[in-house]
Amino acid sequence: MSLFHPHSCSNSFISVSTDCGANPTADTNSSNDLCFKDSKQRIKKMFNQIELSVSSYDTAWVAMVPSPTSHRNPCFPACLNWLLDNQLPNGSWGPCRPHPLLIKDTLSSTLACVLALRRWGVGEEHMTKGLRFIESHFGSASDESQLTPIGFDIIFSGMVEYAKDLNLNLPLRSTDIDALFHKRDLQLRRENSKGREAYLAYVSEGIGKHQDWEMVMKYQRQNGSLFNSPSATAATLSHLPNSGCLRYLTALLDKFENAVPTLHPFHVFPRLWMVETVESLGIGQHFREEITSVLDETYRCWLQGEEEIFLDLPTCALAFRILRVNGYDVSSEALAGFAEEHFFNSLGGYLKDLDAVIELFRASQMIIHPNEQLLEKHISWTSHFLKQELSNTSKCAYKHKQNIMQKVNDALEFPHYASLERLVYRRNIVNYDVDDTRMLKSSYSSLSIGNKDFLRLAVEDFNACQSVYREELKQLERWVREKRLDNLKFARQKLAYCYFSAAATLCSPQLSDARLTWAKNGVLTTVVDDFFDVGGSEDELLNLIQLVEKHDLDVSIACCSEEVEIIYSALDNTISEIGEKAIAWQGRNIKTHVSEIWLDLLRSMLQEAQWSKEKAVPTVNEYMRNGYISFALGPIILPALYFVGPRLSEAVVKSGEYSLLFRHVSTCGRLLNDIHSFKRESMEGKLNAVSLHIIHGTNSVTEDHVNQELKHLIEERRRELHRLVLQKNDSIVPRQCKELFWKMSKVLHLFYMKDDGFTSHEMANAVKAVIHEPILVDQL
C-alpha cells in the first residue's frame, strides 16, 4: 500500500469525461478502444498496489509524540517536517481534494497541525496562516449539512483545551468556545455502555489528560495499535509509554516514511472492495486472474484468523459473502461476534454504522445450510434496523445522507436472490461515485474504492453488450415472423420479455447461442402453454405430442390443423437447429435430448388438461410431481446449458445433481406462480398448489396459512438450490452450468417478488434499461 499526498493528488480523481466515454450512437472507435485498454491496465495494477490518501490529521498527532529518551524532542521528526512542507495555499491542512462539505474535516486537521507545530516551537508563519483559516471558516463547525468526522465535537473541543495548555491563543470568541464545550459535555454525559466506552477510547486524543488510559489499553490490538488508528495510538503513547504503541507507529513510519493514513492496516478491505466493484459493475470478466488472486489471499487470511478481517464488521461480512459466493468453505460462525447485542455494544454500533449493517445484511442472505440460524437472526435485526433508519431519514435534504439512504433502500428492495445482473449493473453504474470519500476521524480516499477507470470501463462494456442484445432481438423478431408464430391469435406475444430474461442474466456477448436458445424456447413454451390452456382441442394436443414423438412425419399430411402445423414446424425446426449448433460446443448433436425435454413438458401439460376436463382432483404430491415439469422451465434452461462453455457428458445430464437442480428451481417457480395466480385460477375453476392444499387440508386451513407454508417451502428449495450451485466437493455439474439454474431462480423471484407481481409497466422499463437505453456519460 502507498500514500498519495496533497501536493500530488489534484489529478488523482477526476470526473468521467466524454473524450474516453461511451458513444452509444456509433461503433466503438479506435480512440475509445485505447481508453478501454488503458483503463483495464490501470485497474489491473490497482489490484496489486493499494493507494490510500495521507491524513494530515493523523500525521499531526504522530508528530506530537515525544521521544522516549527526551520529552523535549519529537519521536517522529519526519512527520513534523511533512507538516511544514504540506500546508495548502489557503493556510489549511486537510483533504487533498478540497470539498465544500469537508470544512469540518479541514478545521480539525488544521488545528491538529497547528498544535503539533506549537508543541515543538516551529513554523510560526505556518501557525499564523493556519489560525487565520480556522478563524475564517469556524462557522462550519456547527453546520449540520457538513460531513462530520467521527468524534468531532469531543476532539475539536479537546484540541481547543490543549491549545490553552500550550499557551496558544485561538482566534475564537469565548461564546463559540463555550458552545463547543457544551456540545462536548452533552456527548460525554450520554448513558454508559460498552459501545460508548469503545467510542471514548477511539477518540482518546480529544479527551487527553482526562482520559482513563488503562481503560483505553483494553482495546489494543495485536499489532500494538488502538483501533488501527494512528491518531488514537499516538495520543495513547504520548500519555502512557507502551512498547506496542511505539512498535506500531515506528513500523508505520518505516513503511510510509514521513506521513500516515487515517487507518492502517488497510489491505484486505480495499482489495475485496475492488472485487465487489468490478463484479457489481459488470466488468469482472476482464479481471478473472486478479479476482482469483485476491480471493485466495483473503481465504488464507480468513483461515489464519487475521484481526484485520475478524475485528472489522464490514471487512468480515464482505469477505464472508464474496468467499461463500465463490465456493470457498467459510463458516457463518465467523459472524457470531456481530450479533445484535454485540454490535450495539461495539464502536460501530454506537456510531450506527450503516455501511457495516448493510454489509452484514447482505452477507446474512448467503444461507446455504439448514442450521444457520445465526444468519437468520442477523437478517431479522439488520433489516429491522435498516428499515427504521430509512424511515427516520426519509425526508433528509443533505445529499451525502441521501446517498447512504439510497444504499439502504437498494439493499432492502433488491435481495440477492431476486437481482438480475444487467439491472444490477446499470443501477450500480448510474449510482457509482468516482469521488467515494469516506469518513473516520478524518476523511480518506482510495483509488481502489472510487475511480473513474471503473466507471469508464463499465459504461463502455454495458453499451457494447447492449448493442449486441439489440441485434439479437431483431434476429428473434424475424424468427417469430418466419415461423408464423405471430399468426397464432390465442398466443401471448412475449418475445421481448423472454429475451429480456436471457439478456439480463446471460450477459457476456460470447453467450449469444445460449441467449437465443433460451429466448426461442421461452417463446415456444408460452405458445404451447396457451395452446394447451385455451387454444387447442384435445385432438390437437394429442396430435402435437404424436408429431414430436415421431418427428419424421409429413407435416402437410400429419397435422390436423393449421395451428398444430405452425407450432410443430417451429418446434421441430428449433430443436434441429439447437442440436446442430451444439456440435460446435459439445462435439455431438443433442437433438434427441432436446426432443425428450419437450416431450416431458407436452405430456405434463396434457395431464393437466385431462385433469381439468375430467374435473379430477389430484393429490398435492401428484400435482407437484407433474407441476414442476409443466411450469415449462425445462426447454428454456436445459438446452441452454450446452452453450455456456463446459462439455456436458451423458453422465452429467443423467445425474441426480442435474435433476435436483432442475427440480428445485422448477418447484420454486411453480409455487411462486400458484400463489400469485390463485385468485384468478379459482375464478376460472382451475386447481393449483394453493387450492389443493386447502382442499386436502383440514377445515381450518386458510389461504393465508397455505401461502405462508408454501413460501417457507420456496425458501427451503431456494436455499438448497443455492447450496448445490456453490458446492465444490462431490459435484459433477460444472459451476457455469449450475449458475443458469440460479439465474432462472432470480428471474422468477424478481417477477413474483411483489404481491401483485412484476407489473407490465415495470417490465417495460426493465426491458428498456437492459436492451434499448444506453447509459450516457453526461447522465453520470
Side-chain angles (χ1 to χ4, degrees), residues 700-711:
S700 62
V701 173
T702 64
E703 178 189 348
D704 287 342
H705 178 270
V706 170
N707 283 345
Q708 289 304 313
E709 185 179 326
L710 294 184
K711 286 177 181 178

Side-chain angles (χ1 to χ4, degrees), residues 624 660 663-665 667-668 671 712-723 742:
M624 288 306 301
L660 205 52
R663 182 182 287 271
H664 284 329
V665 68
T667 299
C668 286
L671 295 178
H712 181 69
L713 179 58
I714 291 167
E715 188 175 80
E716 285 184 350
R717 293 300 177 93
R718 184 184 72 233
R719 288 175 177 175
E720 178 60 16
L721 172 65
H722 201 202
R723 185 190 69 78
W742 182 243

Side-chain angles (χ1 to χ4, degrees), residues 27-197:
D27 291 334
T28 305
N29 56 34
S30 57
S31 174
N32 282 343
D33 280 342
L34 182 60
C35 287
F36 191 89
K37 292 176 182 177
D38 287 346
S39 292
K40 279 177 63 175
Q41 288 306 311
R42 283 192 291 270
I43 292 172
K44 284 177 179 287
K45 289 179 180 177
M46 277 187 266
F47 272 102
N48 297 318
Q49 180 63 50
I50 303 300
E51 290 194 349
L52 183 62
S53 57
V54 69
S55 169
S56 53
Y57 171 81
D58 287 83
T59 301
W61 282 101
V62 175
M64 283 187 254
V65 176
S67 167
T69 57
S70 172
H71 276 214
R72 295 183 177 182
N73 298 313
C75 186
F76 303 105
C79 291
L80 194 62
N81 291 332
W82 186 91
L83 299 181
L84 293 169
D85 293 339
N86 285 276
Q87 187 175 31
L88 297 173
N90 64 0
S92 72
W93 287 267
C96 63
R97 290 173 292 108
H99 192 286
L101 291 178
L102 294 177
I103 304 301
K104 279 188 179 180
D105 180 30
T106 306
L107 284 170
S108 184
S109 297
T110 300
L111 182 52
C113 292
V114 168
L115 292 177
L117 298 180
R118 179 69 173 186
R119 171 73 174 83
W120 303 115
V122 297
E124 193 69 34
E125 185 178 344
H126 294 74
M127 284 190 283
T128 300
K129 291 171 64 178
L131 292 174
R132 194 176 300 134
F133 176 87
I134 293 171
E135 180 180 20
S136 60
H137 291 81
F138 185 72
S140 296
S142 56
D143 185 351
E144 292 298 321
S145 68
Q146 284 282 311
L147 283 167
T148 302
I150 293 174
F152 178 82
D153 291 334
I154 291 177
I155 292 173
F156 199 86
S157 301
M159 289 193 292
V160 169
E161 193 170 57
Y162 187 37
K164 289 182 180 179
D165 294 342
L166 295 175
N167 295 316
L168 176 64
N169 292 319
L170 298 179
L172 303 177
R173 294 177 301 182
S174 59
T175 53
D176 291 334
I177 293 176
D178 290 343
L180 277 175
F181 288 153
H182 176 68
K183 291 181 74 174
R184 179 191 67 176
D185 292 343
L186 287 176
Q187 282 210 26
L188 292 176
R189 284 201 297 265
R190 285 186 182 179
E191 76 288 348
N192 288 322
S193 68
K194 288 283 187 181
R196 177 178 177 275
E197 181 185 273

Side-chain angles (χ1 to χ4, degrees), residues 367-386:
I367 300 174
I368 59 174
H369 300 300
N371 60 345
E372 292 190 307
Q373 288 87 4
L374 170 68
L375 297 185
E376 297 273 14
K377 292 178 180 178
H378 284 341
I379 290 176
S380 177
W381 81 258
T382 54
S383 61
H384 176 75
F385 177 80
L386 292 173

Side-chain angles (χ1 to χ4, degrees), residues 513 517 572-592 594 642-643:
D513 286 341
T517 296
D572 187 57
N573 179 272
T574 302
I575 291 170
S576 298
E577 177 190 273
I578 291 170
E580 289 293 327
K581 274 187 179 180
I583 295 174
W585 291 81
Q586 299 292 327
R588 61 189 176 93
N589 193 312
I590 61 166
K591 180 178 178 180
T592 300
V594 180
Y642 289 108
F643 301 103

